[in-house]
Amino acid sequence: MRLRQLAVAAGLLGLLCVPAHAEDRDIGRDTLPANDGWAAEGAGTTGGAAADAEHVFTVTDRAGLVRALDGGSDTPKIIKIAGTIDANTDDDGDRLDCSDYATGGYTLKKYLAAYDPRTWGSAKPSGPQEEARQASAAKQAERIVLPVGSHTTIVGLGDSAVLKGAGLQVKNADNVIIRNLDVRDAYDCFPVWQPNTGGLGDWKTAYDNIWLTGATHVWVDHVTLSDKGHPDAKEPTYFARNYLRHDGLLDITNGSDLVTVSWSRFADHDKAMLIGNGDTATGDRDKLRVTLHHNSFESVVQRAPRVRFGQVHVYNNRYEVTDDHRYSLGVSTESRIYAENNAFHAPGHVEVADLVKSWNGSALHQSGTLWGSPRTESGGGYPVDLLAIHNAYNSGSERDLTADVGWTPTLHGPVDSAAAADRAVARGAGAGRIP
């Protein structure tokens, strides 16, 4: 209480410098255990563990978080988030909504009228309303995109730390840890209409809850990621397409490498995780090495994950598939997914063949996969061979996948049976559940 009173007097309520001994257990000093996935390669991942006392912060609002992040500087730092921080707030902490960002005469009504395919056609939007949309989007991005620099640890305190409306961006940074945090609703106020996407056109959004771009040695652990507050399923339809407001929950692109994602929860979202962002991004070869273990994918429509180029170890994860499911494992150009001992639950009309989708992929290793009912909580179910079933049921538009992905993971902890992992993940994945 004395520390808080001093902070108020100094005008620093949102950014408190605290000694490392202020918590009984200081998870901000935790480092990635040895051999815990690709992020343990080489020197491992330590985040801000080496930070001095002046660079250990407890933050309670956006302004304090921005000051602690220091523009994405490389200074070793530990940032502890207490309570709920809303990125859509002004410098005084007052709530902002989409109308506060709109500028240049932009309105959704005018935008829809300007680019209605029946009158505009299939050309890329241009002109006053698209220019106004871009200017409005830039205002929002300035407020909600938060850069994370090298040698940084961000942790949530207790079991209820929330960061909402923000896009955490780890860009060209090394040695970053994000743990014990509920990161939700990176809501795009100004989606762009793309007439030629997918043949019928589609809406494209700008923000991921967490985006790793050119990032190396990153550990994401016990994090919950969702659209909570503004689910896309409740958005209207414009031009016969769902007016999407969210992009990925956690995307790993543009040469990112040596990443471990563990004990995290991905929930109630369309496109959960993209690893590699383009078939022509050949610079990603020999990069995008990612480990996903003991994560829960719940009510995720697709991309859990979708992979291009990367060597991705997917083990001991739990999938709860729902009615709008499209696929879970996306096998794309030059991807090398090594999947073992994962558990899937799905409603009766979903087939095992629906779990894997291939675009120009050539190989998938899978073993120990368990398939059960949506009500199974005790590890029940029966073993299935995802590769054999995919090859038997694919439409012929893609070649059969082989089992040889050209590598065998060596950096990992114990690989449990799918049944044991299923139970453990149901109990322990997500924010607020660090043992």
Side-chain angles (χ1 to χ4, degrees), residues 227-356:
D227 300 341
K228 188 172 183 178
H230 293 100
D232 279 337
K234 293 187 177 181
E235 293 291 337
T237 296
Y238 298 123
F239 306 153
R241 306 295 285 173
N242 184 222
Y243 191 55
L244 297 175
R245 297 290 196 157
H246 305 89
D247 195 8
L249 292 177
L250 170 58
D251 281 4
I252 304 169
T253 65
N254 297 309
S256 292
D257 198 18
L258 305 176
V259 177
T260 297
V261 182
S262 57
W263 294 100
S264 291
R265 181 172 175 259
F266 300 80
D268 305 317
H269 186 79
D270 184 3
K271 301 167 183 175
M273 183 185 299
L274 184 65
I275 300 176
N277 59 318
D279 292 343
T280 60
T282 55
D284 285 342
R285 287 177 179 146
D286 301 319
K287 298 179 181 179
L288 299 174
R289 290 173 289 178
V290 179
T291 300
L292 307 177
H293 74 84
H294 294 93
N295 301 294
S296 178
F297 295 91
E298 305 168 24
S299 301
V300 166
V301 177
Q302 58 186 315
R303 298 185 182 177
R306 178 177 177 179
V307 181
R308 296 178 176 95
F309 296 105
Q311 291 183 341
V312 182
H313 190 195
V314 182
Y315 77 91
N316 283 171
N317 299 286
R318 184 178 200 269
Y319 293 79
E320 292 186 31
V321 172
T322 50
D323 290 342
D324 55 355
H325 174 265
R326 290 182 58 190
Y327 68 90
S328 293
L329 301 178
V331 184
S332 296
T333 303
E334 296 185 35
S335 63
R336 291 176 283 172
I337 300 173
Y338 197 102
E340 56 180 333
N341 296 22
N342 298 292
F344 292 84
H345 306 270
H349 69 276
V350 176
E351 303 287 345
V352 176
D354 298 326
L355 300 180
V356 176

Side-chain angles (χ1 to χ4, degrees), residues 106-230:
Y106 172 88
T107 69
L108 177 58
K109 183 177 180 179
K110 291 179 181 178
Y111 190 87
L112 294 173
Y115 306 113
D116 188 325
R118 294 171 296 183
T119 54
W120 178 261
S122 61
K124 182 179 178 181
S126 62
Q129 272 299 300
E130 173 58 15
E131 292 169 3
R133 187 205 63 80
Q134 292 179 21
S136 302
K139 283 186 66 176
Q140 185 186 19
E142 185 178 3
R143 179 67 29 183
I144 73 169
V145 175
L146 304 178
V148 180
S150 299
H151 314 301
T152 298
T153 291
I154 301 174
V155 297
L157 294 181
D159 59 4
S160 59
V162 176
L163 177 60
K164 68 177 183 178
L168 285 177
Q169 186 177 111
V170 187
K171 183 176 182 180
N172 301 327
D174 177 67
N175 193 29
V176 172
I177 294 173
I178 303 172
R179 301 183 75 204
N180 198 46
L181 186 62
D182 182 336
V183 187
R184 65 176 68 159
D185 192 24
Y187 187 86
D188 187 349
C189 288
F190 308 102
V192 61
W193 174 243
Q194 297 188 320
N196 294 314
T197 300
L200 299 175
D202 211 349
W203 293 99
K204 181 174 176 57
T205 57
Y207 309 116
D208 305 316
N209 289 23
I210 300 176
W211 181 26
L212 311 184
T213 172
T216 53
H217 284 107
V218 179
W219 181 28
V220 177
D221 176 68
H222 280 94
V223 168
T224 296
L225 301 127
S226 74
D227 300 341
K228 188 172 183 178
H230 293 100

Side-chain angles (χ1 to χ4, degrees), residues 2-14 16:
R2 176 61 176 164
L3 181 60
R4 183 179 177 86
Q5 291 169 341
L6 289 173
V8 171
L12 297 174
L13 181 58
L16 304 179

Side-chain angles (χ1 to χ4, degrees), residues 352-365:
V352 176
D354 298 326
L355 300 180
V356 176
K357 184 172 177 58
S358 174
W359 300 263
N360 302 317
S362 61
L364 169 69
H365 172 94

